[in-house]
Amino acid sequence: MSAPTPPTDDFVVRRSVFLGLSIFLTATGFVLMLNSYSGQHKSWEDYVCVGVFPLLFSQIAVGFTLALFGFFDRLRGGDRHHIMRGPWREKEDSVPLAATAIVIPVYNEEVARVSKAVANMWRSLEKTGQIEHFDFYICSDSTDADHWVEEECAWLSLCQKLNAFGKIFYRKRRHRINGKSGNVADFCRLWGKRYRYMIVLDADSVMIGPTLVRMVRAMEANPEAGIIQTQPYMVLGTSLFRRVLQFSSHVYGGLFSQGCSMAQMSSGSYWGHNAIIRVAPFIEYCDLPLLPVPDPGKRHVLSHDTVEAALMRRAGYGVWIAYDEPGSYEEGPPNLSDMLTRDRRWCAGNLQHFWFLFARGIEMGSRLQIWIGLMSYLCSPLWLIFLVAGSFGAYFRARFLTLSAAPEDLGAATSSGAGLLLVLTLVLLFLPRLLGLLTTLPRARQFGGIFRLLLSALLENLMSVLMAPVLMMFHTLFVLLTFSGWQIKWTTQNRADTGLRFTHCLALYGWLTCLGLITYPIAGQFLGHPAIWLLPIFAGWTLAPLLAWVTSGRRLGRIFKSCGLFVTPEEAQPPPELQGLGDDGAELPPSPLWVQALLSPYVQAVHLSLVRQGPSGDGGAPTQSLAELRERLIRDGPQALDAKEKLRLLWDGETVFWLHQELWARPGTQLHPSWIHLQTECGNNRLLSDYLMAR
């Protein structure tokens, strides 16, 4: 395939209606905006508002249109042209399966949680009778030595418990370049030719066996498909913040995904996880290019998924959203601070996509996805500019009219255009939420009943209104930092529901409280009654520390759960694939885990079997720096080494073997006292090696 498949007539009609309705709504809002200024004196602030407005309103219009498409598609029972509803579904069980790899990149993740998820998915696939077609690959980029050794032991434990040797693989990447996309690319280079498909998951992802099997069959029945993205729903939240997010994803998320699928068809989205990919074209066409920027450290594409989908589409393969496939799960950020940390990375990655917006060969649907991703963050500084310029414009216009205009001009300043624009904006913002709620009502029992569902939706909307101005300010800051060249590193996402300290919330969000308390009285003084429309913004800023602190804790989340609020179907009827994943992990012994690769014969054997490096030098003679590192470890104890030095030792198999012999052979007077304690711990009844293997 060298070019995208020509669109069908049905697709042309859908795309035309989608674009036409979005443009019509944007134009209507723009006309009303201009009408609100009719007959008035205009200052430079007004021209700024008029220039920014179409960009802002177009995003509201696009979101509304997607929700409208999704609602219409649900009313008619689904899209008969969708890839998951083709003729192959009538004889689904007869569609053969092909070799498929389930790839799970990890980076200093909670090892027990990942292991439980793999075990649950394995057992779910076993129940389908198709486990022989699937292999699991845990691809580690962990930089913490304790995580590394724990991951190795957990891999062996999984293989033993599930009798899965030769089916579950573990690889620790030595050269950690290009983050997750580099990790997946590393898998493709080493093992990609063995498999026709790969299902890429995040460390917190879970998918049920029947859906995994059905995705492979869909690819087999549709050779023109390159990527099929499922709709992952957030689960396992205990903090109030996560519970609100997962409730929102269940009630509204599927509607927008279904609308995107109906409008875009084979030019859908790819979100980087919980998706199946055809490996051969992915390897051939989706190698990420380097960005044309002067700094070599900033040439790598951070947010790879949207670009990979565009490249796959350019190669002629479809990218579909399987919006109604059940059993695709992920976990959300536990609190506002962690969500902002994630958004900081996503902002830097999405803004890089500008380079691909006008690239040659990119299909129109892919350009639209890129544009939506760009504007999801650029809208925040534009919104702030609009608010500031609009406030100054309103003040100077009111002052000008009061001092020098005729009374009839004052009436022009409050023309009906502004009122109609406000009504239209509120409709476009909140009607999609109402439509999502309407489509959820038939399943209200799974959400705690109709009354609790409606009350949960009301509280979620209230929280969204208060959170929006906070996100606006931080996203604006992120955009400015990105444009200023501030380097961003991809870090491990916090997935534990750990509450925030109030002092942390004051330090991080206190400036917003000061901003709200200072600016609202000023706005009231100079703008008068119109300042009341800015009250939700000032309230969100003022309450930001309190809101972040209150929503981060588990206690309030459990209280709301006991009242039946923000309940989701997976809580009402927990699927087996999620069992045990939300439990707090068993507390690890206090000793460093990585030293067990030096002390425990069992852990050492596991580590040496997985380290892809032979003896150093000729006959195992270490370099001078490595020899000095060995002696310093023995003389000064494990605490004397930094993170990079620990990894260097563990990567050298000869060094690991030599240290094991020396630590047990040398007399105690030649060892640091901490080694005596660690040897005793290793030899008592609570062997750390046994503990790790039992997890």
Side-chain angles (χ1 to χ4, degrees), residues 281-304:
F282 184 82
I283 293 175
E284 184 175 358
Y285 300 112
C286 297
D287 187 26
L288 296 175
L290 295 177
L291 299 177
V293 296
D295 188 350
K298 299 177 183 178
R299 293 175 182 171
H300 170 62
V301 178
L302 294 175
S303 294
H304 55 93

Side-chain angles (χ1 to χ4, degrees), residues 542-586:
T542 304
L543 297 175
L546 182 63
L547 193 62
W549 177 60
V550 167
T551 59
S552 68
R554 296 185 179 187
R555 182 177 180 182
L556 194 58
R558 288 168 177 159
I559 292 175
F560 274 82
K561 182 179 180 181
S562 65
C563 296
L565 297 176
F566 304 117
V567 175
T568 58
E570 289 74 26
E571 291 178 329
Q573 294 181 333
E577 290 79 4
L578 297 180
Q579 290 182 1
L581 301 186
D583 300 340
D584 292 332

Side-chain angles (χ1 to χ4, degrees), residues 523-539:
Q525 177 69 28
F526 288 96
L527 298 181
H529 293 298
I532 196 172
W533 295 107
L534 300 177
L535 184 59
I537 296 174
F538 293 114

Side-chain angles (χ1 to χ4, degrees), residues 29 53 57 60 419-431:
F53 180 83
F57 206 77
I60 302 175
L420 290 175
L421 178 59
L422 176 63
V423 172
L424 178 62
T425 302
L426 293 177
V427 168
L428 297 188
L429 284 174
F430 290 100
L431 185 57

